[in-house]
Amino acid sequence: MAEAILMPRLSDTMTEGVIAAWHKHVGDQVKKGDLLAEIETDKATMELESYQDGVLLHIGTPDGGKLQVNDLLAIFGNAGEDISELIQLHSGSGAAQTVAATPTASTPSPAEVVTNTPAASPIDIASMEEVVLMPRLSDTMTEGVIAGWQKNVGDTVKKGEVLADIETDKATMELESYKDGILLYQGAKAGEKILVNDLLCIIGKEGLDIAAIVSAVKAGGQNTPAESAPNVESAVTNSIKATTNTGAATISNLAEEVIVNEGRIFASPLAKKLAAEKGIDLKYVKGSGDNGRITKSDIDQYVAPSSASTALPVSSTAVSASDSSAKSATSASLFVPIVTGEVSFTDVPVSQMRKVIAKRLSESLFTAPHFFLTMSINMDAAIEARVKMNEVAPAKISFNDLVLKATALALQQHPKVNSSWMGEFIRYNNHINIGVAVAVDEGLLVPVVRFANTKSLSQIGAEVKVYAQKAKDKKLQPSDWEGSTFTISNLGMFGIDQFTAIINPPDTCILAVGGISQEPIVKNGQIVVGNIMKVTLSCDHRVVDGATGSAFLQTVKQLLEEPVRMLV
């Protein structure tokens, strides 16, 4: 009998997985223990083994596909077995698409709604070229304000001409027409707001049924102007009769007057943007549009003149009349080279690991009230002790190992720091499991050194090195990173003096460790050079108060400044 295999939860934070590669294909005979697929989780790429024998009859998604936890991953059974009911049972979204693709007889489609409307003729909204909707002119724009219409109802509009000035959340921008025709309808007056994708205006041929188009847009889910359709139609008809013959000429004369009297350079917003990116001065570009307006094609076809022709003369007012050398300079030209560049970028899909890091740390930062305590620690004694320890230690001991050991012993004395916020209660952990943040290419992993307070410095050093290598090789297992009660993040090896870290849930605190640097300190009344390391404790104020966190740091400081205490 066929059996469905669902996407397993391969880590405590996993919500979805990506199929990195299938190692078996539909129709293959699979045995229990065979490698079925590699699945990329939020923490690592893990191998999924088959736990039964049979023929692989169905896969839920191909290589690179994404599945939520408990989605249909595969179906095993006997060759030729009917699995249609099993697929349907685990494919709710597919059923929904089937239902959506087959409309019922009682539910009319948008096209039928338009057809059955008394004042409207059958119109396909998808191909309605006369309708102009409010465009999104910035990445954060949700609505626009009509700063001013440059064309009035009844005016003839040509492609590339400015229809209106639109005030967005970032700037006032010119909106160009992308079609020829007559402006038959305006969706709002100057000063009024229009939401993105609402009806802005209608451009078409004279005699077009405006009421039908407005009704069609409304049936298609767009907002309509405040006026009713019959009133819109009559108002547009009267306006067209009054302005068709004079509107275009008036606008044209006004534009020419502005150019002559104010010296304004007319250019489309896109042309201005391209010119700025390419370092082109618009006053040297000849526009091919109406009234000399500069368009995108003019910028694309622009050829920079020779350096002699683009030279900027030095103003004679800036030169002293008595200075003969300055006089000769005024006759020369200052050559300004034109520098061009190209804007480029690369979009990289967000990995599963990065998604979970973003989600968990955002929840931590905006849910747990963080506060930070920083302390300077003199590492002179620790440096001296480490040299002697490494002479006899079976595994090399690092400064991070010393910090980890000191932290574990300090947690024994301050159990409130070794705790977790559980919502309705606080859990004080009797065991001490310290997570060590390890940077990998895709993000950050936190393997856990368990019962760190009971292990020697050599044991801690060897274990951390193994975990670091496994993390870089993507070989960590869920049991390696689950169950921490406290976390250490060390950026000292990267030259960072001091930083703050975000708490790693469900821990209550995280210790950010900076590098060791030589600084002047006062010792026995004398200024001497000391090796100083700064550490910052991030605390969840729901559990740990300032006095508790400070006492914990004092203990860490004492242990590191007198390392012999860690051996007792």
Side-chain angles (χ1 to χ4, degrees):
M1 180 178 179
E3 181 177 351
I5 307 298
L6 306 182
M7 171 63 78
R9 186 185 301 275
L10 299 174
S11 77
D12 55 335
T13 57
M14 175 181 172
T15 59
E16 61 184 13
V18 175
I19 305 298
W22 282 102
H23 287 267
K24 297 292 183 181
H25 303 92
V26 173
D28 289 353
Q29 183 72 40
V30 181
K31 294 183 179 180
K32 183 178 179 180
D34 284 353
L35 179 59
L36 187 61
E38 293 181 29
I39 298 179
E40 180 187 348
T41 72
D42 56 314
K43 305 272 181 136
T45 299
M46 307 180 67
E47 296 179 345
L48 178 66
E49 296 181 357
S50 174
Y51 51 84
Q52 63 188 49
D53 298 332
V55 177
L56 182 58
L57 302 176
H58 174 79
I59 59 174
T61 185
D63 291 353
K66 185 186 302 180
L67 290 174
Q68 302 292 317
V69 171
N70 293 328
D71 277 359
L72 180 62
L73 176 64
I75 297 178
F76 284 93
N78 299 320
E81 191 171 354
D82 184 10
I83 59 173
S84 57
E85 292 185 4
L86 203 54
I87 294 176
Q88 186 176 5
L89 177 65
H90 293 280
S91 302
S93 60
Q97 292 171 359
T98 303
V99 172
T102 311
T104 60
S106 60
T107 304
S109 65
E112 292 170 341
V113 172
V114 177
T115 304
N116 296 331
T117 305
S121 58
I123 297 176
D124 181 7
I125 298 176
S127 62
M128 194 186 298
E129 297 183 355
E130 296 82 7
V131 172
V132 179
L133 305 180
M134 171 61 78
R136 187 183 302 275
L137 300 174
S138 78
D139 55 340
T140 57
M141 176 180 172
T142 58
E143 63 182 13
V145 177
I146 306 298
W149 284 99
Q150 300 298 330
K151 295 290 184 180
N152 300 311
V153 174
D155 288 353
T156 299
V157 180
K158 294 183 179 180
K159 183 177 180 180
E161 289 185 336
V162 178
L163 279 176
D165 295 323
I166 308 294
E167 181 181 345
T168 72
D169 57 328
K170 296 190 175 180
T172 299
M173 306 178 69
E174 295 178 339
L175 178 66
E176 294 184 359
S177 174
Y178 52 89
K179 62 187 71 175
D180 299 331
I182 298 175
L183 182 60
L184 303 175
Y185 171 74
Q186 295 174 342
K189 299 177 181 178
E192 293 182 349
K193 295 180 180 179
I194 297 185
L195 296 175
V196 170
N197 291 330
D198 275 3
L199 181 60
L200 177 63
C201 64
I202 299 175
I203 298 175
K205 297 179 180 179
E206 188 175 357
L208 193 67
D209 191 348
I210 304 300
I213 295 178
V214 172
S215 298
V217 173
K218 182 177 180 180
Q222 302 295 338
N223 296 329
T224 57
E227 300 88 359
S228 62
N231 292 336
V232 171
E233 183 179 12
S234 60
V236 169
T237 303
N238 295 333
S239 180
I240 291 174
K241 292 179 180 179
T243 62
T244 300
N245 296 327
T246 61
T250 302
I251 294 294
S252 176
N253 294 337
L254 177 60
E256 291 176 356
E257 183 178 352
V258 170
I259 292 175
V260 172
N261 295 338
E262 297 185 10
R264 176 182 174 186
I265 298 176
F266 280 86
S268 69
L270 181 56
K272 292 178 181 177
K273 182 174 183 246
L274 291 175
E277 291 175 354
K278 296 182 177 182
I280 298 175
D281 192 338
L282 288 176
K283 67 183 179 182
Y284 296 117
V285 182
K286 183 177 181 181
S288 60
D290 292 341
N291 303 312
R293 182 176 183 79
I294 300 171
T295 63
K296 175 181 178 295
S297 60
D298 297 325
I299 299 297
D300 292 337
Q301 298 171 8
Y302 174 74
V303 178
S306 63
S307 58
S309 62
T310 59
L312 300 179
V314 179
S315 173
S316 59
T317 59
V319 182
S320 172
S322 60
D323 192 344
S324 59
S325 62
K327 287 180 180 180
S328 62
T330 56
S331 61
S333 296
L334 177 64
F335 298 101
V336 180
I338 296 177
V339 180
T340 60
E342 182 178 352
V343 177
S344 63
F345 54 85
T346 302
D347 293 332
V348 179
V350 179
S351 67
Q352 298 300 107
M353 182 186 299
R354 182 58 63 184
K355 283 182 181 178
V356 174
I357 289 174
K359 179 181 178 183
R360 284 173 58 82
L361 294 187
S362 296
E363 290 175 352
S364 173
L365 184 61
F366 299 117
T367 301
H370 285 54
F371 74 93
F372 310 97
L373 301 171
T374 300
M375 182 171 286
S376 297
I377 300 175
N378 189 328
M379 295 293 287
D380 287 346
I383 292 173
E384 184 178 352
R386 175 175 172 265
V387 173
K388 295 180 180 179
M389 290 177 185
N390 281 332
E391 291 177 357
V392 296
K396 188 176 180 180
I397 298 170
S398 67
F399 288 111
N400 192 65
D401 301 333
L402 291 171
V403 173
L404 195 152
K405 179 65 175 181
T407 300
L409 295 176
L411 289 173
Q412 280 184 314
Q413 301 181 38
H414 305 278
K416 287 186 178 180
V417 180
N418 192 47
S419 59
S420 302
W421 175 262
M422 307 302 291
E424 298 298 326
F425 59 91
I426 298 173
R427 173 172 294 165
Y428 295 105
N429 299 295
N430 298 322
H431 60 286
I432 297 175
N433 293 347
I434 298 182
V436 182
V438 177
V440 295
D441 292 340
E442 295 81 6
L444 201 67
L445 293 174
V446 187
V448 179
V449 178
R450 303 180 188 281
F451 312 112
N453 57 312
T454 66
K455 295 179 178 179
S456 67
L457 285 166
S458 296
Q459 289 175 313
I460 291 173
E463 191 170 336
V464 170
K465 287 180 177 63
V466 171
Y467 280 144
Q469 190 59 48
K470 290 176 67 176
K472 293 177 181 178
D473 295 339
K474 297 184 179 181
K475 297 297 183 181
L476 284 176
Q477 298 300 309
S479 58
D480 295 331
W481 63 65
E482 294 173 353
S484 68
T485 61
F486 188 92
T487 305
I488 294 176
S489 179
N490 191 339
L491 293 179
M493 67 284 293
F494 298 107
I496 302 300
D497 294 327
Q498 179 184 343
F499 69 103
T500 57
I502 300 175
I503 297 170
N504 180 35
D507 300 351
T508 299
C509 296
I510 183 171
L511 186 67
V513 182
I516 300 174
S517 60
Q518 291 189 335
E519 298 180 8
I521 61 173
V522 178
K523 192 172 184 179
N524 299 324
Q526 300 292 325
I527 298 178
V528 297
V529 176
N531 293 284
I532 303 301
M533 180 180 73
K534 293 182 179 179
V535 296
T536 300
L537 183 68
S538 304
C539 306
D540 184 345
H541 218 324
R542 296 173 298 183
V543 180
V544 177
D545 297 325
T548 304
S550 299
F552 168 78
L553 283 182
Q554 284 286 356
T555 303
V556 173
K557 177 182 175 74
Q558 292 170 2
L559 291 169
L560 287 174
E561 290 187 342
E562 297 183 63
V564 70
R565 290 172 177 263
M566 291 188 281
L567 305 178
V568 178

